[in-house]
Each structure stands twice: as structure tokens, then as C-alpha cells.
Amino acid sequence: MLELNSVSVDYGAVKAVQSVNLRVNEGEVVALLGPNGAGKTSLISAVMGIVQVSSGNIRFEGRDVTLAPPEEKVRCGIGISPEGRRVFANLTVAENLQLGGSAQPDKAIRAEQLTKYLEMFPILKERYHQKAGTLSGGEQQQLAISRCLMSRPRIVMLDEPSLGLAPVIVERIFELIAELKASGLTILLVEQNANEALSVADRAYLLHSGRLRFEGAAQELLNSHDLMSHYMGLGEAQ
């Protein structure tokens, strides 16, 4: 479904991502792991068209979308829930969700999507007329994910969905990701929380200093204590 072929991203003299090959097949959850500064966000920003690819190409469902702007990629079926949530704090939950669905011209489909995700994220139904800036971190994360889903993406990129959240809320976020996986949604999951991400993923990539260090089954990486310790700073007990 999504293919990255020798993709590099440079910021002037800084090489953030170096010749990365990555694929996400339909219906998979693929974890993209790495420590802070590994190049994960730069890579998915390039997929979304937020930053420019220095070399290589990006294909989605067989089509070259390397140079497509973000709005075109949304129309193609690529969605992103960004790092830091980035909800519109002065708008209500309802208004945030309406903005998420604005790319969908069919009002009936928008209404159907809204009903679906208010059922999946019941706290948003409770907070529907509340300003997004007054929500807790976990509630904002649920809003960011559901806002992304309102556009009916074929693939969703979740950028650090557990960042800055309490452990009990992290557990709930990953339960929701598992529910989305069970519904058949294709997900590229960008995370520092390796153990949680690998528990829901089918396959995994490990990025470090802009280069891929591992590609394979999620369970294989989870069982590789040397790799996890060396690149993620996790000991065997974790």
C-alpha cells in the first residue's frame, strides 16, 4: 500500500533521514521505532508532504506521490495524527471533528463517520461542546486520532500517540489502536514506547541516526534484547 524507496530528508547540511526503504501492506500495523532524534517524525512528515524529500520516492497504492502536497495526500487516503496532538484549542471538540471531516464532500458519510468515532471514543461525546484546550492530555490525544479518522483515510500515521501521557492513559490509547487494527485499518505507528508499540504491531522498523537498523517481525525485535538495549536504551527486564 505505502512504499518508501531510498528516501532521504536533509535540512541543509543535516541528514535527518538517509536512504530509507519501508513498506506498509494493507491491513497491517507497522511500528516505526527509534530514540528521540532518530528521524522518525522527519520521515513521516516527508510521507505527508510537510517536508521535502531530498532523494528517493514515495508510492501509495501504486501511485508516485513524492511531490504531492499534503491536501492531495489526504484526498488520496493518507492521514496523520501528529506528534503533540495539535488540536485547535479554542475550538470545541465538535468543531475539531468537523474540520477533520471537511475533506469528505458527502454529508451523509461525514455524519456516519462522526457517529462511528463518538461511539469508539465516548469521552469525546461527553466533551462534545467543550473547548479542546480544556481537555486532558489523553482526551486531546483521542480527539487528534478521531479528527484524523474523520477523513476516512486508507492508512493512518500515528506520531508518538503515547507521548507525555500517564501509564494508565497510555494503556487506553494502545487499546484503541488495537481496536482500530481489528477494524482493518492500516496503521504506521511511530513510537518511542517500544514495548507497547510492538505488542500491537505486525512488523517493525528501527530507525537510529536517520538510518534503518532493523526490519522484520515485531515479535523478533521485541525478543532481540541486544538491539533493543543498544538502540532504544531498554534492558532485558523491560
Side-chain angles (χ1 to χ4, degrees), residues 33-235:
L33 307 178
N36 189 38
K40 305 184 302 297
T41 294
S42 292
L43 189 62
I44 66 167
S45 294
V47 172
M48 204 67 219
I50 298 168
V51 301
Q52 187 175 1
V53 170
S54 304
S55 61
N57 66 80
I58 299 166
R59 303 184 70 83
F60 181 65
E61 296 189 321
R63 174 188 171 191
D64 191 329
V65 296
T66 310
L67 301 178
E71 59 271 19
E72 184 177 341
K73 290 181 176 178
V74 170
R75 288 194 296 270
C76 287
I78 303 173
I80 186 169
S81 178
E83 180 183 4
R85 299 178 277 277
R86 300 185 196 174
V87 297
F88 297 102
N90 291 324
L91 299 182
T92 65
V93 167
E95 289 166 335
N96 271 269
L97 293 173
Q98 288 161 9
L99 281 172
S102 60
Q104 172 52 251
D106 190 313
K107 290 184 179 180
I109 292 176
R110 287 203 305 270
E112 180 184 310
Q113 290 293 99
L114 183 60
T115 299
K116 177 180 179 180
Y117 292 114
L118 287 178
E119 288 177 359
M120 181 172 281
F121 300 87
I123 192 64
L124 300 183
K125 192 171 184 178
E126 287 182 34
R127 307 279 194 265
Y128 195 62
H129 298 293
Q130 195 169 314
K131 285 195 174 181
T134 66
L135 303 181
S136 70
E139 291 165 354
Q140 288 188 13
Q141 185 62 72
Q142 293 179 63
L143 177 56
I145 293 171
S146 57
R147 182 184 62 188
C148 168
L149 295 172
M150 282 292 293
S151 66
R152 295 184 80 194
R154 302 262 295 123
I155 183 172
V156 171
M157 298 186 293
L158 303 178
D159 192 1
E160 303 285 5
S162 73
L163 187 65
L165 301 180
V168 66
I169 305 301
V170 170
E171 183 178 350
R172 176 57 185 148
I173 292 298
F174 278 95
E175 286 174 357
L176 289 167
I177 293 170
E179 288 177 33
L180 293 171
K181 175 183 179 179
S183 75
L185 187 64
T186 306
I187 300 171
L188 178 58
L189 175 59
V190 179
E191 262 293 342
Q192 290 186 59
N193 190 329
N195 289 329
E196 290 285 0
L198 292 172
S199 72
V200 297
D202 300 295
R203 292 189 301 108
Y205 292 83
L206 178 57
L207 195 63
H208 190 274
S209 300
R211 292 185 180 275
L212 281 183
R213 309 295 179 173
F214 173 88
E215 171 190 353
Q219 192 62 44
E220 181 184 349
L221 180 55
L222 191 58
N223 292 337
S224 179
H225 302 301
D226 289 343
L227 275 173
M228 294 284 274
S229 176
H230 184 71
Y231 290 116
M232 298 295 294
L234 300 176

